[in-house]
Amino acid sequence: MIAEGLIALVGAGVLLAVAIAVPWLKFVLTIALAKGIAVLGILLLLRAGQVSFGHAMFLATGAYTVAFLAPAMPEALLLIPLGGLFAGLLGLLVGLFVVRYRDIFFGMLNLAISMVLYSLLEKLYHLTKGTDGIRVARATYAGFDLPRETQEWLMFAIALGLAALFGTLVAAYLRSPMGRALAGIKTRETRLEFLGVSARRVLLFAYVASAVMGGIAGTLVALTTRHVTPLLGYWTSSGELVFIAILGGAGSAVGAFLGAVAFELVRVYAAASVADAWQMILGGVLLLVILFAPGGLWGILAGRLKVRA
Amino acid sequence: MTQELSRRALMGATAGSLLLAGGNAGAQQKPSELRVGITTFLSGPASVFGVPSKQMAELLFEQVNAQGGIGGIPVKPYFVDEAPGTEHLVGEYRRLVQNEGVHVMFASISSGSCLACTPLSDEMRKTTLLWDCGTQRIFEEGKHPFAFRTQGFGTPEVLAPLLYLLKHKPDFKSIAVINQDYAWGRDSWELWKTAMDVLKPGVRVVAEMFPRLGATDYSTEVTRLLASRPEVILTTSWGGDLVTLVRQAAERRLFERSTFVMPVAEASLQLLGKTVPAGHVIGARGDHWNNHPKPKDPAKLAKFVDGYRARYNEYPIYPCHHMAQAISALQAGYAKAIAAKGGGWPNDQELANAFRGLTFDTPTSTITLREDGQGLEDQIVGLSSFNDKFPFAVPKDMIMFPAAMVSTPVGMKSVDWLKTLTPAILAQTPAPI
């Protein structure tokens, strides 16, 4: 726990140093941190042995919450929790239904529901402006209208702060009885029921928590990129989150952020060096990780540093 | 030097080499090369536009550099793939501006990408040429002092084929639409419907169909169109979707029953060969047909088309022309800015000032950028036909609609403006050329 915290602290320090040294990477890292928060949610479900192929719907919910509300109420510090709230409500609604299913059925139902949301975002043309998306109005921070440079720094700081907050919460949660019960769902659910613990309730709690994190991540993405499109909720975005979880390693909360930062950097550099074949590099990296480091980047790091995950 | 640094950063991607990569933006004195960032589709369905335009850009920059570059320095393009989506693209825009230190950006085939990039151009004060996207929202929803669109946009590209249809087939009574289900498909139908309702009220819309983007089967839609027998079928689809639709419609002889109007057909005609029958209305999102009947400089157009054909063994399609327009605007813009500064190298603001009101040559004619940044490009629409010169359909009986006649005036919204049209505009339509 302490070693994990130390690594996280060092990681945050490195990110900060990079953001200061290379201004344009600040944007990429903010997005990476936001995605890391969403991946934390995937991680919770992975602990229960469930993969959601539709988690981008919560990201899109958070992002569109910001896009719709920002013109009327441009306060970022309110928009962020509101995005989490709406995503959490959607998570509760969807969760009540999907936690009855396991494995491939769980994954596919999530995928199906997320594609329903995607289609709505695309088809309710007069509300959402379809695939062209909505420009996010300029946000204020605690009432201040800040210049671009300050705003970018602030978004980076908020993302970093929220990443630390949710990382700590998830780490604590996974050590709590509720978190242990998640692992119980993976190993043998019947035993859990014999202990008097409702597996559905355990999974529902984790599902709603992961939805909230997805929503928060979405608000951060929307406030940073300032333009939202339905593509945020497309199944490839969901796949991306699962990809990041595997890349980072499901063993630790730090893994989510490690994976997200690595993913964004690989994509940016792959796109910069071979603009027309960057997908191949990304795919190659994932294959290498699966073949040679099944524990993900966190597994490599923890092995080197002899940290027990 | 810059090149070497960023290459090293790419290889290493370690914190140390990243440090070196920062901070070469904002050079005031004349740089050693003119860096241009270009966003285009290099993967996904829209790469049918993106890849040919990239090829055209490479070819033209080679020619420009062989003739001494722009303002005496060579041009170096940086291509970026639009396919991964907005959040990746705006990150790439920042990378190009802040890390590679590009002097000018060329933004986007996709309208969504353009809408995301123009606010960035405002904030980063970087001259951005919108080289292909068509959404009318860009300059109608806000001012963008550093953005300039070097071609036409959705409204004239829809209005011109409508006017052509009203000339060619003035007494049609029913129409059906089959557009791709995304922003352009919806937008273009809204524009068309608005204009049609004022110019020819009472036309019956027998079917409005929006199959999904990238659909591979149109049998249901074709059946419905065969059954409902519209006199006219509008489709603003493009790329693989249009090719599939046309093939499946031709197979079932839909073209014999209804007149098709295809405002974006030009880019797919080569692929379709003889599948598109003669006598249907086709557009090119501009005046840039390879068989333009009256180009400003016929030798120049021939050289342009033949140069591309010699290299890539295919005819240039409209995105190639749009790319050429942006590059021509870039040359003219720099020439004007350098002249205005008495030979000095312009900064970002001076460069943007030069683009306002700029007139530049295109392979077929000239385009002037309006005060809001919108380019005024004439529209040529014609009827599909076949001749000995081309192994695919090309237009005949072409009408050239002057840009000013079919474009929304500065400061107005397209839909509002279309509502103010009267049938008198038909009388202004020039004679076929």
Side-chain angles (χ1 to χ4, degrees), chain A residues 32-53:
Chain A
L33 286 167
K35 284 197 179 155
I37 294 173
V39 173
L40 278 179
I42 300 271
L43 222 63
L44 284 185
L45 300 175
L46 275 179
R47 196 48 78 93
Q50 309 303 322
V51 184
S52 164
F53 286 116

Side-chain angles (χ1 to χ4, degrees), chain B residues 32-84:
Chain B
S32 58
E33 58 186 5
L34 180 65
R35 292 181 286 272
V36 182
I38 302 177
T39 74
T40 178
F41 276 95
L42 301 174
S43 57
S47 59
V48 294
F49 296 147
V51 172
S53 54
K54 176 176 182 247
Q55 293 173 345
M56 181 52 94
E58 284 168 341
L59 178 67
L60 288 179
F61 281 135
E62 244 171 62
Q63 291 172 1
V64 168
N65 287 344
Q67 288 158 11
I70 291 178
I73 56 170
V75 187
K76 180 171 164 41
Y78 292 80
F79 294 98
V80 163
D81 191 2
E82 266 176 66

